[in-house]
């Protein structure tokens, strides 16, 4: 094997090390071995075994990028929620201040009215009054006024306390928003480095070798699907899609051919969970944005009860998701460099199945 091809495999090994390094917080990113210079390149073709090694390394790298993408999407979703909460709190504070101004105005009017009576005690007012009945009527009105004033003061106090609470909540939400912005930036940096490393590794392959690599990917998926189908699972899958499920499937399959882009929710590009969440949003159900949250929050069902529209969660870390479309197939956005496509539902290790609609 030529020195250039050996350097290629060495680069693949370096990439695996890079994945490990990336997973360690605060550790610098180790770049793959540089592309061999033309003088060291050999015409010796890369063997199938060597390409299979590269395929496995790329698979690990893209899976790590997928997990980081989920972290990015989760941080983005939280940041959006916190921004909305801050806006809502700002509106409450504005309304509270307006209410407080009105209450103070009313309190001032009450104080002025009391001043006009001279602030005399009831006994003095009785002595100065020519009509005891009128005095008694006036005393009743004064007591009503006192009660109203007392309630006014209590309402002012409650409003002031509400304003202080809103301000405290807003401050806490700002702190959370800033933390999630930092988490989003860190996840974005990790995704970009991992994808760049994978793309660099693939770029070291010749065109014919990249085609063979794609064939190896298809072969691995085919073997996994064949093994899954050999269990007789299709004999048990008779679930019928609901109307919502049909709409979700129609949307997802209409996106076939569009490119994968991490963090994207359409309409031109999608990542895996961006596709499934948007498909179900179009069908009328809002579901979590990330595959990990879809796994955590949606209803779990047995695989043999799966029906079109259900979501299949893949890998132990729930880092990938596809939508079941029937006949043992699913639609998904695979990874960077690939387009949305139909694939075997069992072409990757299945963690479980979740159902967005309860119908």
């Amino acid at each position: 094997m030529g020195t250039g091809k050996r350097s290629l495999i060495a680069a693949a090994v370096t990439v695996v090390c890079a994945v490990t390094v990336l997973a360690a917080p605060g550790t610098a990113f180790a770049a793959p071995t540089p592309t061999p210079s033309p003088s060291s390149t050999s015409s010796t073709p890369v063997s199938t075994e060597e390409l299979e090694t590269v395929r496995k390394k790329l698979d690990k790298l893209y899976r790590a990028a997928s997990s980081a993408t989920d972290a990015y999407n989760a941080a983005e979703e939280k940041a959006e929620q916190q921004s909305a909460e801050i806006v809502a709190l700002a509106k409450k504070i504005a309304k509270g201040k307006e209410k407080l101004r009105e209450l103070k105005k009313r309190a001032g009017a009450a104080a002025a009215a009391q001043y006009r009576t001279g602030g005399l005690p009831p006994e003095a007012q009785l002595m100065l009054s020519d009509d005891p009945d009128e005095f008694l009527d006036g005393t009743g009105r004064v007591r009503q006024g006192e009660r109203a004033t007392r309630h006014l003061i209590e309402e002012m106090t409650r409003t002031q306390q509400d304003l202080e609470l809103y301000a405290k909540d807003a401050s806490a939400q700002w702190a959370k928003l800033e933390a999630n912005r930092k988490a989003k930036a860190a996840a974005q940096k990790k995704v970009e480095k991992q994808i760049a490393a994978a793309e660099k590794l693939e770029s070291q392959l010749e065109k014919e070798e990249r085609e063979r690599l794609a064939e190896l990917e298809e072969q691995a998926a085919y073997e996994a699907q064949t093994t899954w189908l050999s269990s007789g699972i299709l004999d048990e899958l008779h679930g019928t899609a609901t109307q919502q499920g049909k709409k979700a499937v129609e949307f997802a399959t209409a996106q076939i051919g569009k490119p994968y882009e991490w963090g994207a929710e359409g309409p031109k590009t999608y990542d895996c969970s961006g596709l499934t969440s948007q498909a179900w949003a179009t069908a009328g159900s809002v579901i979590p944005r990330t595959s990990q949250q879809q796994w955590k929050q949606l209803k779990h069902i047995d695989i043999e009860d799966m029906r079109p529209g259900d979501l299949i969660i893949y890998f132990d870390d729930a880092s990938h998701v596809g939508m079941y479309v029937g006949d043992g197939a699913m639609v998904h956005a695979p990874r960077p460099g690939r387009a949305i496509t139909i694939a075997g539902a069992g072409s990757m290790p299945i963690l479980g199945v979740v159902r967005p609609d309860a119908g």
Side-chain angles (χ1 to χ4, degrees), residues 194-352:
Q194 290 166 326
I195 292 177
E199 289 175 343
K200 185 169 186 177
L201 178 57
E202 287 190 273
S203 72
Q204 293 173 327
L205 296 171
E206 300 294 335
K207 180 176 181 294
E208 183 270 337
E209 291 166 344
R210 288 197 296 273
E211 291 174 352
R212 287 171 55 203
L213 179 64
E215 290 174 358
L216 284 176
E217 290 178 351
E218 292 177 1
Q219 179 64 26
Y222 173 78
E223 291 176 357
Q225 175 73 353
T226 301
T227 300
W228 185 66
L229 292 177
S230 66
S231 67
I233 186 66
L234 275 186
D235 296 334
E236 301 181 35
L237 294 176
H238 302 297
T240 303
T242 61
Q243 286 302 115
Q244 271 194 309
K246 289 178 181 178
K247 289 180 181 179
V249 169
E250 287 172 3
F251 178 90
T253 53
Q255 313 312 310
I256 290 174
K258 293 183 178 180
Y260 175 104
E261 181 183 2
W262 69 267
E265 299 178 81
K268 295 182 178 179
T269 58
Y270 296 86
D271 63 19
C272 66
S273 57
L275 176 64
T276 55
S277 60
Q278 287 302 304
W280 272 101
T282 302
S285 289
V286 177
I287 66 172
R289 169 64 178 87
T290 69
S291 58
Q292 292 175 345
Q293 288 304 311
Q294 289 170 3
W295 174 244
K296 287 181 180 179
Q297 297 183 31
L298 299 180
K299 180 182 178 181
H300 290 208
I301 63 168
D302 294 332
I303 293 179
E304 56 266 26
D305 295 328
M306 186 164 58
R307 67 191 183 198
D310 288 342
L311 305 183
I312 307 174
I313 309 298
Y314 294 97
F315 305 111
D316 291 342
D317 58 356
S319 58
H320 190 70
V321 60
M323 179 182 292
Y324 186 63
V325 296
D327 296 326
M330 59 92 172
V331 59
H332 71 145
R335 67 167 176 83
R338 299 289 186 265
I340 295 171
T341 187
I342 295 288
S347 58
M348 293 175 286
I350 296 176
L351 176 62

Side-chain angles (χ1 to χ4, degrees), residues 6-64:
R6 283 196 295 271
S7 296
L8 172 65
I9 303 306
V13 175
T14 305
V15 169
V16 177
C17 295
V19 175
T20 305
V21 170
L22 280 169
T27 309
F29 172 73
T33 302
T35 305
S37 63
S39 60
S40 65
T41 302
S42 168
S43 59
T44 305
V46 174
S47 69
T48 299
E49 289 76 14
E50 290 168 332
L51 274 178
E52 178 63 14
T53 299
V54 172
R55 184 193 70 78
K56 290 179 179 178
K57 305 310 183 267
L58 285 171
D59 183 61
K60 289 181 180 179
L61 191 56
Y62 279 123
R63 277 192 57 200

